[in-house]
Amino acid sequence: MERIFVDSLLTGLSNTLHKLATMAQSEDAGSVTPVDFIQLQEYMEYSTLRVQDVLKEFHSGDKQGQTKFEEYMDAAGFAQFLKTYLEDEDFPEDLCGRLFKYFQHFEHDEAETPKREDGVFLRDVSCYFSILEDGQPREKLECTFKLYDQDGNGLLDSSEVDRIIAQMMRAAEYLGWDVTELRPVLKDLMGAIDVDGSGSVNLDEWIKGGMNNVPLLVLLGLKMTERDGQHSWRMKHFNKPTYCNVCQGMLLGLAKQGLCCTYCKYTVHSQCANKTAEQCPPTFVRSKKELGVPAHDWISADCSSRKCKVCHKKIKHFVGSRCVWCQEMRHDDCLKSCVTCECGLLKDHILPPWAIYAFSGDDNTSNSLEDTSMFNVTPDGHILQIVPVPDIHPLLVFVNPKSGGKQGERVLRKFQYLLNPRQIYNLRNGGPVPGLNFFRSLHDYRILVCGGDGTVGWILDAIDKAELPVRPPVAILPLGTGNDLARCLRWGGGYDGSDLRDVLKDIAGSVLAPMDRWTVQVIPDDPTEDGDPVPYPIINNYFSIGVDASIAHRFHHMREKHPHKFSSRVKNKLWYFEFATSETISASCKNLKDCLTIECCGVPLDITSLSLEGIAVVNIPSMHGGSNLWGESKKADKSSHHALDKSAEVITDRELLKTRSQDMSDKRLEVLGLEGAMEMGQIYTGLKSAGLRLAQTPQITIKTLKPLPMQIDGEPWMQPLCTIHITHKNQANMLMAPPSKRSGFFHLK
């Protein structure tokens, strides 16, 4: 075993040194670095165009540097392609130049491609980017076929197929794959699809062959499985000795690489993926007899040095199995002494497969097509319905994969492994409605929202509209940048990548915390006057007018124009500081007292003697990523909670307000005055305790006398003259995390 490991290290070292030497030789010819690839990926993530959209413009001859699709693009044409595709006229010239040289000097494996020093083929560039962009593998296979079927005869010859392989290899290199292992896999594919040996393939052969090749599907970005029991593969690098579950051989190389199933962690070599015999464990049952029967689902696993749950002896290499639900490990010979599966430490959160039943549209449980609209339907046509399981609180997980950079995607995969994939929903695929409908029959479950405050607001609004029999409590895994609501509920200021089992443990120990939600009605003085649309008619966190909204509006406008410049929390804070500094100098919202009037339940609020640049109406004790504008009160509020609920009293007395504390369930809003951007910075850094307390009220009316910047929960807009009414809407059931948080688990600031 040691000899195999040493040989693998030497092989990997040799390959690495050869690659470094090759890179050094080609450096002058033009190469791109991993940093370049990361930067390119950031641009691609924020672009809304697809390759086919750009090709329509190039076909029409509207773009400089390109007249015919078959011809080469020169450097100017290539730059125009990138600027159009990535929707950024300021795309860095140096990066564009390196990418141009990269395409010029990339060596096509066994492809007879004409060489020219003044340009690159548009179809090669288009094929490369079409492989990398979002979309289903079948669509990408059809797209690449049509790109190279220039004569439209529905056939590709061997040289054209080789050129497609070259672009796939290039895309794999971009994604960090070991292309030396992928190359023979793709070559085998090309040999398999030419079934008649004619030297050419048609579209049907091309798609059928591609859809049956697992590594190729992973490369093309397979996002979902077609049927239950199918592995959900992704390319993964391993930092320790790892073995293939098919051939039981070691994954070789310094950067050990293989395909790993997101759901069950079954791991294989790329070339062994098409030989996989063992299926992924089912996520639901197909017979009513299996409902409520808690059975183990075993999968072959490398259980070396682990102890068997039955005989308590160590399990040798590849003679053991693991249950995907309770995580128990046993010798293969000990599987016969099975007892019921209790889902292990996460039993309170897991929706087990024996609680999900698949039935057809002809089943007696559904009498019409409308009945099935509330259920979960699998890609292969199974209609799923949940049967309640006593004494557990299944967790419905919503993940925004775009939140927190790449954190959302990693969190999505981890939860798909820890829980049943059927209870994890990617919000980019249909939003929250399918998940809420699927869990509708349950009366005792929780929701976990993985994202920023905007994502949380989206889910709360969806719960309102779904008219569920019960309003499930909601916990938060903060992935955004501000995360003010998550801070107030003790979930922290940002997920730091720690073990998600700890998050699930905190959810189990959380307590219910009702939170007020408010309706905002904006009535323009002149409905015909142009203005930004109001982003959201509900307040969960805060509403503001003036200085802080002006900063947020500038920040939002710049991020919309150059999204790649706002790819991390650190960058966002630096930009925010820059805009706050410029607002301090310009003071665009000074003399706010002359620009609006405020009434609290019909009682005018006098601000004529105050020098303010902003008004904030807050529902929770956190704003702008942790700033408590209301601050600490002089003494505890002695009024009873019931008295506050029944009272319609508006409090504007400054001395009395100093004693009033915030409560996000008291059906009251706090109104504050802000003196300027400098004061906001002082509050955020702790140099000043709070803003100026103006009122506590259950209802507010604001009338503006000139156009002003406004924001709701961090979403800014410029509003012409209007009247604003803010009234109580309802209460959301939120979950408050336990008071003690482990050090290093969350960033609190």
Side-chain angles (χ1 to χ4, degrees), residues 536-553:
Y536 196 51
I538 297 172
I539 299 174
N540 294 312
N541 299 0
Y542 57 85
F543 166 83
S544 67
I545 300 177
V547 56
D548 66 316
S550 176
I551 298 171
H553 190 258

Side-chain angles (χ1 to χ4, degrees), residues 538-595:
I538 297 172
I539 299 174
N540 294 312
N541 299 0
Y542 57 85
F543 166 83
S544 67
I545 300 177
V547 56
D548 66 316
S550 176
I551 298 171
H553 190 258
R554 296 185 189 184
F555 178 91
H556 181 77
H557 181 73
M558 179 63 76
R559 184 168 59 180
E560 288 288 307
K561 187 176 180 181
H562 304 288
H564 58 278
K565 296 181 180 180
F566 297 79
S567 57
S568 70
R569 292 190 184 120
V570 174
K571 288 182 180 179
N572 291 350
K573 288 184 178 182
L574 289 174
W575 277 107
Y576 200 90
F577 177 77
E578 178 176 328
F579 293 131
T581 302
S582 63
E583 176 61 32
T584 301
I585 298 172
S586 64
S588 64
C589 299
K590 63 181 178 180
N591 298 324
L592 195 65
K593 61 186 178 182
D594 299 327
C595 304

Side-chain angles (χ1 to χ4, degrees), residues 38-47 86-92 95 558-568 571-572 575:
I38 292 172
Q39 189 176 0
L40 177 61
Q41 188 173 11
E42 289 179 359
Y43 280 95
M44 290 183 65
E45 286 178 353
Y46 290 106
S47 175
L86 302 175
E87 299 180 287
D88 193 328
E89 289 296 325
D90 299 323
F91 188 80
L95 176 57
M558 179 63 76
R559 184 168 59 180
E560 288 288 307
K561 187 176 180 181
H562 304 288
H564 58 278
K565 296 181 180 180
F566 297 79
S567 57
S568 70
K571 288 182 180 179
N572 291 350
W575 277 107

Side-chain angles (χ1 to χ4, degrees), residues 361-411:
D362 297 329
D363 198 298
N364 292 332
T365 54
S366 64
N367 299 319
S368 67
L369 183 62
E370 286 74 19
D371 291 331
T372 64
S373 66
M374 305 303 291
F375 301 130
N376 182 294
V377 182
T378 66
D380 56 346
H382 288 98
I383 303 170
L384 305 182
Q385 186 176 17
I386 300 176
V387 177
V389 177
D391 303 323
I392 68 170
H393 308 82
L395 192 65
L396 173 57
V397 182
F398 292 114
V399 183
N400 186 344
K402 287 295 185 181
S403 294
K406 289 292 183 182
Q407 276 190 321
E409 294 179 3
R410 289 193 292 269
V411 165

Side-chain angles (χ1 to χ4, degrees), residues 172-319:
E173 183 182 47
Y174 166 86
L175 295 170
W177 286 40
D178 183 357
V179 294
T180 58
E181 183 174 326
L182 181 63
R183 191 184 306 270
V185 175
L186 293 179
K187 279 296 183 183
D188 291 342
L189 164 67
M190 296 308 123
I193 61 178
D194 185 14
V195 291
D196 57 5
S198 63
S200 61
V201 296
N202 60 40
L203 180 59
D204 289 340
E205 291 175 330
W206 174 252
I207 292 179
K208 183 177 180 180
M211 293 300 291
N212 289 321
N213 189 282
V214 172
L216 178 58
L217 290 176
V218 177
L219 174 62
L220 294 177
L222 183 65
K223 299 296 183 183
M224 59 185 294
T225 55
E226 293 290 333
R227 61 183 183 273
D228 199 46
Q230 210 173 27
H231 290 290
S232 177
W233 299 111
R234 73 180 186 93
M235 179 57 68
K236 184 177 180 180
H237 295 264
F238 299 89
N239 56 12
K240 61 181 181 180
T242 305
Y243 298 87
C244 173
N245 282 97
V246 174
C247 70
Q248 299 186 7
M250 181 183 287
L251 304 182
L252 302 178
L254 287 176
K256 291 171 284 295
Q257 197 178 63
L259 296 180
C260 180
C261 177
T262 298
Y263 301 159
C264 67
K265 300 302 181 186
Y266 196 80
T267 302
V268 298
H269 290 107
S270 294
Q271 64 267 28
C272 293
N274 294 325
K275 308 172 186 176
T276 303
E278 192 167 359
Q279 288 192 329
C280 195
T283 58
F284 59 87
V285 297
R286 299 168 187 264
S287 168
K288 288 184 178 180
K289 295 180 180 179
E290 298 176 90
L291 278 174
V293 180
H296 290 284
D297 278 315
W298 302 104
I299 186 127
S300 298
D302 182 9
C303 306
S304 300
S305 302
R306 305 290 184 88
K307 286 189 176 181
C308 174
K309 187 71 174 180
V310 176
C311 67
H312 305 292
K313 295 180 181 179
K314 285 188 177 181
I315 305 174
K316 295 181 180 180
H317 179 61
F318 274 116
V319 292

